[in-house]
C-alpha cells in the first residue's frame, strides 16, 4: 500500500503537472479499500479488496506447469467499478492507465480531442 501511495505521489509531481491538470483532462486513481490511503481528491475508492484472489489456494508464482492459476482479480473489479463511475460523469471519453505505464498527458489530451472532433 505504501508503495502504491509513493507511485501516486510521484505521478502527481511529474507527468500530472505536465498537463494532467489541464482543462478537459481529469485524473482519478482507482484504489480498493482496506488499506490506509493518502487524503487526496484524485482518489476514487471503490468497494474492492486489494490483492484478492479468485482462488485462495493458488498463488500464480507457484503455479504448476499446465495448470491455470489466476492472479489478483481486484484489477478487473476495480475496472468495472471505474466504468460504472465513469458512466455517470460529464466527460465524453475515458481512458485507463496504470502507474507502470508511460503517458504523455498533453498528447493524450490532444489525441482525445481529435477523436472527439472526428466522431461529430
Amino acid at each position: 500500500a505504501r508503495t502504491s501511495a509513493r507511485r501516486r505521489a510521484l505521478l502527481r509531481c511529474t507527468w500530472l503537472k505536465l498537463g494532467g491538470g489541464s482543462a478537459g483532462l481529469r485524473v482519478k486513481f482507482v484504489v480498493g479499500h482496506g488499506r490506509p490511503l493518502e487524503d487526496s481528491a484524485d482518489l476514487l475508492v471503490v468497494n474492492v479488496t486489494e490483492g484478492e484472489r479468485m482462488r485462495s489456494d493458488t498463488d500464480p508464482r507457484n503455479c504448476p506447469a499446465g495448470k491455470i492459476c489466476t492472479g489478483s482479480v481486484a484489477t478487473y473489479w476495480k475496472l468495472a467499478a471505474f466504468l460504472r463511475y465513469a458512466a455517470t460523469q460529464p466527460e465524453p471519453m475515458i481512458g485507463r492507465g496504470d502507474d507502470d505505464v508511460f503517458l504523455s498527458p498533453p498528447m493524450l489530451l490532444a489525441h482525445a480531442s481529435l477523436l472527439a472532433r472526428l466522431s461529430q
Side-chain angles (χ1 to χ4, degrees), residues 5-58:
R6 287 180 182 158
R7 286 180 183 161
R8 288 190 294 271
L10 180 64
L11 294 175
R12 285 182 189 109
C13 71
T14 55
W15 62 260
L16 287 179
K17 290 193 180 202
L18 298 174
S22 60
L25 183 62
R26 184 165 51 120
V27 175
K28 286 288 190 184
F29 294 99
V30 182
V31 295
H33 63 79
R35 295 184 180 165
L37 296 170
E38 65 274 24
D39 184 24
S40 181
D42 60 8
L43 291 182
L44 173 62
V45 181
V46 296
N47 190 20
V48 172
T49 302
E50 292 284 359
E52 190 167 339
R53 299 195 178 284
M54 190 170 301
R55 292 183 49 192
S56 61
D57 63 333
T58 57

Side-chain angles (χ1 to χ4, degrees), residues 30 48-52 72-81 96 98:
V30 182
V48 172
T49 302
E50 292 284 359
E52 190 167 339
S72 170
V73 294
T75 300
Y76 305 107
W77 290 336
K78 287 193 307 187
L79 176 59
R96 180 184 179 276
D98 208 340

